[in-house]
Amino acid sequence: MIIVTTLVIPPGGDVGPFNLYSDSDGYTVPFATNVSAAALQAGYSSTVPNDATIIRVISTGLCTNFIDLNINLITTTTTSSSSTSTSTSTSTSTSTSTTTSTSSTSSTTTSTTTICANCIAHDVTIGSQIWTGCNLNVSTFRDGTPIPQITNATAWSLATGPAWCYYNFDPANEATYGKLYNVYAIIATTNGGLAPAGYHIPTDAEWTTLTSTLGGGTWIPLYGPGSDYQILIGGKLKEAGQCHWTIGGTNTAGFSALPGGGAATAGYFLGLYIEAYFGTTTIAPSSVNRWSYLLSSFNDRIDRVWASANQGLSVRLIKN
């Protein structure tokens, strides 16, 4: 079985090199060694054991970070048929002729793959709240005024007002993950704001209501001023399976969170297929920052962290 592994490694991230293991032998013997970060980012092709379902990428550099990647296996069915002619022999006093046995075998291989659908706009009721079931994907404020689109890292890092972009500035990411909005756009009140009529961008308190509805307990200190997390909530919000997440959740809440990643203040991107960042309108810890919520493939918790003005976040809405 041949797989292609692609990792997004942001500037300043672990530079490796990396060894690749599979779960078929308990991650004991690497099937590829000393793979560079550049090779992984470009799309690294390698042969792995046929019974492998998870690839573990482990850094051998200064750090010992690792990530597990699920393999979406293709179901294959093989059928074979064969035919053989029989041998016959005839003899006379002067000659002998023989027809030799021949056989032929043909095989047909068919493959089926799972189609991962794009998000179709819908609402989902969770407790007393009604949330949108897809990431926001508008390019205008409520009154129809266009929101500037940014298409390069320099312009993104220098923005001082509302703006949006596609992940990696690539429109191919729109249908599934929607748009990423900077904090200026998320908190805008002019032109009717970012949310369409009948909806609003949630506050920090409304996100807390959501996690409480799902059984969230005590918030545990994480890092930075006021950052914290709750355990066993993220999996209930994440889309199930590996259509989009490298490691999905149970989605028992029906929220179907998608790993649309985020845009950093410097204009580079991180976390597609791995993380989801959702913005709120609540100040934290200063007037230029807002609280946001993070879901990750690495765990089943939900993190509450602050986002600066030039970060790009996904947005889910609540019905008024």
Side-chain angles (χ1 to χ4, degrees):
M1 178 173 63
I2 297 177
I3 57 96
V4 176
T5 301
T6 304
L7 289 182
V8 177
I9 303 173
D14 196 329
V15 297
F18 301 88
N19 289 345
L20 277 62
Y21 300 76
S22 80
D23 60 336
S24 62
D25 63 357
Y27 312 110
T28 57
V29 179
F31 62 84
T33 59
N34 294 317
V35 183
S36 69
L40 288 176
Q41 287 176 303
Y44 181 76
S45 177
S46 180
T47 301
V48 300
N50 284 329
D51 55 350
T53 60
I54 298 176
I55 300 303
R56 177 165 291 180
V57 182
I58 303 180
S59 172
T60 62
L62 294 176
C63 302
T64 56
N65 301 324
F66 74 87
I67 180 175
D68 287 347
L69 305 176
N70 284 56
I71 304 173
N72 292 323
L73 294 177
I74 296 175
T75 302
T76 301
T77 303
T78 302
T79 59
S80 299
S81 61
S82 62
S83 60
T84 305
S85 63
T86 59
S87 297
T88 60
S89 176
T90 59
S91 297
T92 67
S93 59
T94 58
S95 64
T96 301
S97 64
T98 303
T99 303
T100 59
S101 298
T102 60
S103 65
S104 64
T105 301
S106 63
S107 64
T108 302
T109 301
T110 59
S111 298
T112 59
T113 58
T114 301
I115 303 300
C116 298
N118 295 324
C119 195
I120 300 174
H122 66 286
D123 290 342
V124 56
T125 299
I126 305 174
S128 62
Q129 299 171 316
I130 300 176
W131 290 79
T132 52
C134 296
N135 295 347
L136 188 63
N137 190 25
V138 298
S139 56
T140 65
F141 288 113
R142 186 179 300 178
D143 68 354
T145 301
I147 305 167
Q149 177 187 5
I150 292 181
T151 58
N152 66 82
T154 300
W156 183 266
S157 66
L158 296 175
T160 58
W164 65 268
C165 68
Y166 297 119
Y167 187 95
N168 209 30
F169 304 120
D170 185 354
N173 292 313
E174 177 184 25
T176 298
Y177 302 108
K179 295 177 173 64
L180 299 175
Y181 299 91
N182 65 11
V183 169
Y184 295 116
I186 290 173
I187 65 176
T189 57
T190 57
N191 306 113
L194 188 60
Y199 295 84
H200 64 273
I201 298 173
T203 63
D204 179 57
E206 288 174 314
W207 267 95
T208 300
T209 296
L210 173 64
T211 63
S212 296
T213 299
L214 298 177
T218 303
W219 286 92
I220 303 169
L222 185 60
Y223 53 77
S227 299
D228 42 24
Y229 69 93
Q230 286 180 333
I231 62 174
L232 304 179
I233 297 300
K236 297 177 181 180
L237 294 169
K238 292 188 293 185
E239 177 192 59
Q242 282 79 48
C243 257
H244 301 108
W245 290 91
T246 54
I247 303 175
T250 61
N251 198 31
T252 54
F255 190 84
S256 301
L258 295 170
T265 55
Y268 64 83
F269 297 85
L270 66 165
L272 188 68
Y273 314 128
I274 298 173
E275 295 173 324
Y277 299 86
F278 296 104
T280 81
T281 58
T282 302
I283 294 174
S286 66
S287 60
V288 295
N289 302 320
R290 292 297 185 273
W291 285 117
S292 65
Y293 285 78
L294 165 65
L295 303 175
S296 172
S297 280
F298 301 120
N299 52 63
D300 275 341
R301 74 190 192 201
I302 184 168
D303 293 359
R304 177 178 176 264
V305 297
W306 57 269
S308 59
N310 287 74
Q311 285 184 247
L313 310 169
S314 297
V315 173
R316 289 291 182 97
L317 304 176
I318 291 183
K319 199 167 187 178
N320 296 341

